[in-house]
Amino acid sequence: MTTPETFTPQAVQITNNAVAKVRSLVEEEANDDLKLRVFVTGGGCSGFQYGFTFDELVAEDDAVIEKDGITVVVDAMSYPYIAGSEVDYEEGLQGSKFVVQNPNANSTCGCGSSFSI
């Protein structure tokens, strides 16, 4: 008799830059209940695009990632698309933004906010 294999998705990593920015924005809003929500939607020039928002609520099926006093949540539909990814915060000539370094993406667009699997 064979036993079914258990699939354990890879964790989403949060960089120190992202932690610092989330902490700064939460402090600026003076609301310790805020969490960074990372999600994937259809659209963008490559098929899917990343989204970021702040949310006070955590759904029962959300993945919750805590690091150094901040919380990042990912909904159950988006998690498989970004499992094993790294969430970072970048500041540069093109502006400041949260970004996802996704090893699952087959291709990304030039702006880095959309991808295909």
Side-chain angles (χ1 to χ4, degrees), residues 26-65:
V26 168
E27 288 172 359
E28 188 176 300
E29 291 296 316
N31 183 349
D32 291 337
D33 293 332
L34 290 177
K35 298 145 191 63
L36 178 66
R37 179 170 293 281
V38 181
F39 58 93
V40 173
T41 61
C45 51
S46 294
F48 295 101
Q49 59 189 9
Y50 303 109
F52 304 91
T53 188
F54 280 89
D55 199 340
E56 293 180 345
L57 304 175
V58 176
E60 187 175 299
D61 60 349
D62 281 344
V64 177
I65 302 108

Side-chain angles (χ1 to χ4, degrees), residues 1-5:
M1 181 170 155
T2 62
T3 57
E5 291 185 34

